[in-house]
Amino acid sequence: MSLEQQTQSIAVALIGNPNTGKSTLFNALSGVRQRTGNYPGVTVEKKHGTFRIGDKSIELIDLPGSYSLAPRSPDEMVAVDVLLGRLPAERKPQAVLVILDAGNLERNLYILSQVLELRLPTIVALNMIDVAQDKGVTVDAPLLAQRLGVPVLETRANHGAGVQQLREALAHIAAQSPPEYTSPFPPAFREEVAGLQGKMVASNVSAPRYLVERLLLDTSGYLEKELELGGDNFHQTIEEARARLKESGVPVPAVEAMSRYAWVRETLNGVVQRKPVAPPLSDRIDRVMTHPILGSFFFAILMLTVFTAVFSEYIAGVPMSGIEWLFETIGGLVGDSMAEGPFRSLLVDGVIAGVGGVLVFLPQICILFFFIAILEDCGYMARAAYLMDRLFSNVGLSGKSFIPLLSSFACAIPGVMATRVIENRRDRLTTMMIAPLMSCAARIPVYVVMIAAFVPYYSFAGGLLNSHALTFAGMYLVGIFAAVLVALVLKKTLLRGATPPFVMELPSYKWPSLTTVGLRVFEKGWSFIYRAGTLIFASSVLVWAAAYYPHNDAAVATWTPRLAEVETELAQATEPAQIEELEAEQGDLEHHIAGAYLRDSFLGRAGQWVEPVVRPLGWDWRIGCATIASFPAREVIIGTLGVIYDLGGEEDEASIPLREKLKSATWDGTDRPVYNLPVALSVMVFFALCAQCAATLAVIKRETNSWRWPIFTFVYMTLLAYCGAFIVYRIAAFFTTTPIVSV
C-alpha cells in the first residue's frame, strides 16, 4: 500500500451485545479479507477485516461481544484498551460502529451510552429490523439519530440489506465530529470523578476519564491493580469517595445501572412503538425446544447427528481417508523417484507425512464448525446451553461447555477451538483443560488392539452385552470421570471462582446466512492449518529425526547382505511362484531392517532410558518407545509397535499378526510374556488419560496465546495417566494373580 493510500486508511471498531448480528455484519462488510489472532496474554480472539470504497481503505476491528464496557478481568479489559488506544500493538480506532438489535433497544443502548462517553465518531447500525417488525416493534430511526446525535442506519446483515449504505457512511466517518454527549450520572458522581482525576494527575498517574470513572464503579479491585496506582493511598482515596457518594444517595456501583437506564428510557421515549401481535414464532418453537423433556429429546437427537457427522467414516471419514491416500500416494511417488537416504526419508516420512498428519484433521474441524456456525446463526445454540446448564453447573461450569466437550469425543482439536463460545475466562480455560480427557478417535486403535488380544470374551444378557464392549465403554467412562474430578479441582484451586450465573439471551430464530457459515468454516479451517499446523508439523519432523538417526548400518548388518541377494534374484526371476516367494522374503527383510534401525535410533534408546520409569506400569522399553513416538498423534503407537516387532509400519488395529506378536512378546533375556490383561488395561488407561497429542497441545497454545496452559495440560495429564495406569495395573494383577513386574 502506498503512502498516499495509507493516509486514507480508517480504523473502525465494531462493538455490540451478543446475538445482535455483529459477526454477520462484520463478515458482510469485509468478506474474506479477514485475519485472526489472539491479543497478547489473553484468550480473547482479535479479528480484523478490511474493505475499500473509493480511495479509502476501512480497517474493521471486531471487538468481543459484550453487554457492558465494565472490565473485571484481562479478557474483558481488551475491548476498553482497544477503544482507548492502550494496546501498543493495536491501532487506536478513529471511529466506532455500534450494532444494536432493533427489537431490544432498551438493553442494547446501555453499552452505547458507555461508547458515547469515549468521544469517538460513532455510527449506529440498527440491525435485524425485520425481526423487530415481526415482534410488533417499530423504531423511528431518524428520531433516534437526532436524540443520539450520531447517524443511525437500518440493516439486515444476514440478507445484506443496508450494508452498502453502511460502507459509504463509514468512508466519511473520519470527518464526523465526536457526538455531543452529556454524562447520565448525577452531579455528585461527576464531581468525585473530576476530583479523583485531579489527584491522579498531581501524582503523575495518567488515565483517561473513562477509566477514572470505572475506578469508582469497579468494586472488585481489578482496575486498581491493572492501572498500578501505587499502594494503599489511592485505594483509601477511592474508598472515601465511594463513602461520600453513598451518604449523598448515590450508591456505587448501583448508580451506573440507575443512571444509564434512566438515560435509555428518556432517549427511547417516542422512538419505539409497540403493537400487540400474536406470540412470535420463536416463542412458539421454544415451547418445545426449551421443554425439559421434549427439548432434551430434540437436543439429544441433534447432538447425535453432529457427533455422527464428525465421527462418521462416511462423512468425515471419506475426506480424511482421501487425504491419507493422497499423501501416501505423494510419499510413494517421491520415495520411488529418489535414492535411499536421509533426505528421502525426511521428505517422505517427515515433511510429507507431517503435512498429511496436519491436514487429516481438517475435515472434522470444518464439519464441526459448519454445524456450530449454523446452530449459532439460527439461534439454537443459546437453547442448547440453557438445557445443559443444570448438569454442568454441578462441576462449576455452564451449559456452554457441552458442545466443546461433546466435540472432543471425535477430536480434541475442534473441541478446544469450540471453547470460544464460552465468554467466562475461567470456564473457557477449565473446558480447554478437560477437553483432551474425552476419548477421541485416535485412542480407538489402542483400545481395539489391546481388547481383542488380551481381554477374555464373555457374553451377558443373552448376548446383548459382552466383556469387550463393556471394556471399550469403560475407557470412555474413565475419561469422563477424570474430567469431572479435574474440573472440580481446577474450579476450586487454579481457576477458582464462583460458578457464574447463567445469563443468556434467547435470540429470535432466523435462517442462517450461508455466507456467514461459509466464512466461519473457512476461517476456522485456515486458522488451524496456519497456526496450529506449524507446531504439529514441527513435532512430526522432530519425532521422525529421533526415529531415523543415528541410522547405524552396523545395526542391520545381519539382514542387508541377504536383502541385496534377494533383490538381485528378484530382478532375474521369471516364475510367478518364485517372484511371490522372493517378494515375501524381501518384505520380511525390510521389516527386520526397519525394526533394527528403530531399536537403535535415538527414539529406541529413549525407550530403553525410560524403561525404569514405565516398569511399574508393567511396560517394557518397547511400549515406552512406542508411547514416545505417539506424541504427534496417539494412533501412531500401533504403527510403531509394528515396526518394533518387525512387521512394518503399515499395521493397524485390525492386524492379526500384530496381535500374535504382542501375545508372544517376552521380556528381554527371559521367556516371561510382556503383555497380559493387567498390562493391556494399564496401556489403555494411560492412553485414555494422557496428553499424547501434540496437535491438541498446539491448539491450546494457539487459543490461549501462552505456553503456560499447554505445558500445564501435558504435565497434569501425564501424571494423571501414570497414576491411573499404575493403580489399574496393580489392582488387575492382584485379582488375576498375575506376577507383578519387579521394579
Side-chain angles (χ1 to χ4, degrees):
M1 187 180 291
S2 68
L3 180 62
E4 180 182 354
Q5 287 175 318
Q6 288 182 19
T7 61
Q8 297 292 322
S9 178
I10 302 169
V12 180
L14 274 68
I15 194 164
N17 290 180
N19 301 310
T20 56
K22 180 170 66 69
S23 296
T24 304
L25 188 58
F26 173 82
N27 291 331
L29 288 169
S30 60
V32 297
R33 294 175 294 279
Q34 302 177 14
R35 64 185 189 277
T36 60
N38 275 64
Y39 289 100
V42 296
T43 59
V44 173
E45 182 182 52
K46 63 178 177 180
K47 199 171 180 182
H48 289 223
T50 58
F51 70 87
R52 295 192 62 83
I53 181 164
D55 62 344
K56 296 178 180 177
S57 174
I58 312 298
E59 180 183 2
L60 303 175
I61 306 169
D62 188 18
L63 296 177
S66 178
Y67 292 104
S68 171
L69 291 177
R72 293 176 297 274
S73 72
D75 284 15
E76 294 174 340
M77 191 73 194
V78 164
V80 176
D81 281 341
V82 171
L83 290 170
L84 293 175
R86 297 179 72 244
L87 289 182
E90 186 70 68
R91 183 181 178 187
K92 181 181 179 180
Q94 296 161 263
V96 184
L97 172 59
V98 182
I99 296 88
L100 306 179
D101 176 358
N104 291 290
L105 288 179
E106 291 85 354
R107 187 197 64 249
N108 282 205
L109 256 64
Y110 187 97
I111 195 171
L112 175 61
S113 72
Q114 295 173 322
V115 171
L116 292 175
E117 287 191 15
L118 302 176
R119 302 285 294 160
L120 289 170
T122 302
I123 290 179
V124 170
L126 202 60
N127 199 31
M128 298 194 289
I129 198 74
D130 53 334
V131 177
Q133 291 170 352
D134 291 342
K135 295 179 179 179
V137 176
T138 304
V139 180
D140 187 338
L143 180 57
L144 179 60
Q146 180 183 336
R147 295 268 178 88
L148 296 174
V150 300
V152 176
L153 284 78
E154 297 183 357
T155 60
R156 290 191 298 160
N158 60 328
H159 295 289
V163 173
Q164 184 57 32
Q165 292 88 333
L166 190 55
R167 285 197 182 102
E168 294 171 358
L170 290 172
H172 299 94
I173 196 171
Q176 180 182 317
S177 300
E180 293 293 333
Y181 177 76
T182 302
S183 173
F185 289 100
F189 183 84
R190 282 179 273 171
E191 290 172 5
E192 292 290 352
V193 171
L196 181 58
Q197 189 171 29
K199 292 177 182 178
M200 292 175 66
V201 171
S203 300
N204 295 319
V205 178
S206 176
R209 179 182 173 85
Y210 183 79
L211 288 184
V212 179
E213 187 178 279
R214 298 250 53 96
L215 271 174
L216 276 180
L217 295 169
D218 178 27
T219 56
S220 71
Y222 166 75
L223 206 53
E224 287 184 50
K225 298 177 182 177
E226 172 71 16
L227 296 179
E228 299 178 349
L229 294 181
D232 296 333
N233 291 336
F234 269 110
H235 178 74
Q236 185 63 29
T237 300
I238 293 170
E239 288 297 325
E240 290 172 357
R242 289 172 182 162
R244 287 192 296 270
L245 287 172
K246 184 177 181 181
E247 291 175 3
S248 61
V250 184
V252 173
V255 63
E256 180 169 30
M258 293 187 295
S259 301
R260 296 198 187 281
Y261 280 118
W263 175 84
V264 169
R265 288 191 295 271
E266 182 181 351
T267 301
L268 294 181
N269 184 28
V271 171
V272 177
Q273 304 293 331
R274 299 180 184 275
K275 62 179 180 180
V277 294
L281 179 61
S282 289
D283 291 353
R284 298 198 294 272
I285 295 175
D286 275 340
R287 291 173 187 170
V288 175
M289 294 303 182
T290 60
H291 189 275
I293 298 176
L294 296 177
S296 298
F297 177 76
F298 177 83
F299 175 74
I301 297 298
L302 182 61
M303 290 303 103
L304 180 62
T305 302
V306 174
F307 182 74
T308 300
V310 175
F311 196 61
S312 170
E313 60 179 300
Y314 300 107
I315 302 175
V318 169
M320 290 176 76
S321 297
I323 291 172
E324 288 178 341
W325 173 85
L326 175 64
F327 280 91
E328 286 174 1
T329 302
I330 294 173
L333 292 174
V334 172
D336 292 341
S337 64
M338 298 180 67
E340 185 69 36
F343 186 63
R344 173 183 179 274
S345 181
L346 171 62
L347 285 180
V348 175
D349 302 322
V351 176
I352 296 174
V355 173
V358 171
L359 294 183
V360 75
F361 294 111
L362 191 59
Q364 288 183 319
I365 290 172
C366 290
I367 290 170
L368 173 66
F369 279 101
F370 172 77
F371 280 104
I372 288 180
I374 288 178
L375 294 176
E376 284 184 334
D377 208 34
C378 75
Y380 182 77
M381 190 66 80
R383 278 80 181 176
Y386 166 77
L387 288 169
M388 296 306 299
D389 183 66
R390 180 175 297 179
L391 175 63
F392 278 77
S393 63
N394 293 326
V395 294
L397 298 174
S398 74
K400 295 180 182 179
S401 297
F402 178 76
I403 297 294
L405 293 180
L406 177 67
S407 307
S408 298
F409 279 109
C411 179
I413 295 170
V416 170
M417 294 174 70
T419 58
R420 295 177 185 177
V421 303
I422 307 170
E423 291 91 358
N424 182 274
R425 178 176 178 271
R426 293 188 181 93
D427 280 12
R428 183 163 62 252
L429 287 172
T430 302
T431 306
M432 279 188 203
M433 297 304 101
I434 65 174
L437 287 168
M438 304 297 107
S439 276
C440 63
R443 292 172 166 109
I444 292 177
V446 181
Y447 300 161
V448 170
V449 167
M450 294 298 163
I451 290 173
F454 302 106
V455 176
Y457 183 88
Y458 301 104
S459 61
F460 312 94
L464 294 176
L465 297 175
N466 61 73
S467 57
H468 284 191
L470 291 176
T471 306
F472 192 84
M475 292 302 106
Y476 279 80
L477 292 176
V478 164
I480 295 171
F481 180 70
V484 170
L485 291 181
V486 171
L488 287 170
V489 171
L490 287 176
K491 292 294 286 185
K492 292 184 181 298
T493 55
L494 193 62
L495 297 171
R496 73 168 60 89
T499 301
F502 184 70
V503 179
M504 174 178 274
E505 174 195 0
L506 296 183
S508 300
Y509 289 102
K510 60 184 176 65
W511 287 106
S513 165
L514 293 180
T515 301
T516 299
V517 171
L519 285 171
R520 178 77 181 274
V521 172
F522 174 81
E523 170 201 331
K524 301 305 180 188
W526 175 248
S527 176
F528 165 72
I529 294 172
Y530 179 70
R531 298 186 180 277
T534 54
L535 293 173
I536 301 168
F537 170 71
S539 68
S540 299
V541 172
L542 288 175
V543 170
W544 163 83
Y548 184 84
Y549 290 105
H551 212 71
N552 185 1
D553 290 339
V556 297
T558 304
W559 299 280
T560 48
R562 178 54 187 162
L563 177 62
E565 294 174 3
V566 169
E567 289 175 344
T568 301
E569 293 175 15
L570 188 59
Q572 299 172 353
T574 56
E575 296 294 328
Q578 184 185 15
I579 292 174
E580 182 178 353
E581 181 181 349
L582 289 171
E583 286 179 342
E585 185 179 358
Q586 181 188 37
D588 288 340
L589 289 168
E590 288 175 346
H591 292 162
H592 281 295
I593 291 172
Y597 273 134
L598 180 59
R599 289 188 288 272
D600 187 58
S601 69
F602 292 128
L603 181 62
R605 297 174 190 180
Q608 294 169 356
W609 294 336
V610 301
E611 185 176 76
V613 178
V614 299
R615 281 180 72 92
L617 310 182
W619 302 4
D620 71 346
W621 70 269
R622 297 174 182 83
I623 306 176
C625 175
T627 301
I628 296 172
S630 68
F631 181 65
R634 294 182 180 95
E635 63 271 27
V636 171
I637 186 176
I638 303 301
T640 305
L641 286 173
V643 174
I644 288 175
Y645 288 109
D646 298 338
L647 295 173
E650 298 78 21
E651 300 302 308
D652 59 22
E653 64 270 23
S655 170
I656 301 300
L658 178 60
R659 296 177 190 176
E660 296 303 320
K661 278 284 187 179
L662 296 180
K663 290 179 180 179
S664 61
T666 58
W667 287 87
D668 289 342
T670 74
D671 58 356
R672 185 176 179 183
V674 172
Y675 295 90
N676 48 45
L677 177 59
V679 171
L681 293 175
S682 172
V683 171
M684 287 190 289
V685 168
F686 185 89
F687 272 82
L689 300 176
C690 73
Q692 289 298 109
C693 184
T696 299
L697 298 175
V699 171
I700 293 175
K701 158 62 174 69
R702 182 260 183 276
E703 292 298 304
T704 61
N705 206 37
S706 168
W707 280 109
R708 171 190 177 190
W709 295 109
I711 291 173
F712 170 77
T713 303
F714 178 79
V715 171
Y716 103 75
M717 288 186 66
T718 302
L719 291 175
L720 182 66
Y722 188 91
C723 293
F726 177 82
I727 293 170
V728 167
Y729 172 67
R730 298 286 163 154
I731 293 176
F734 176 79
F735 282 104
T736 59
T737 65
T738 300
I740 294 177
V741 176
S742 59
V743 179

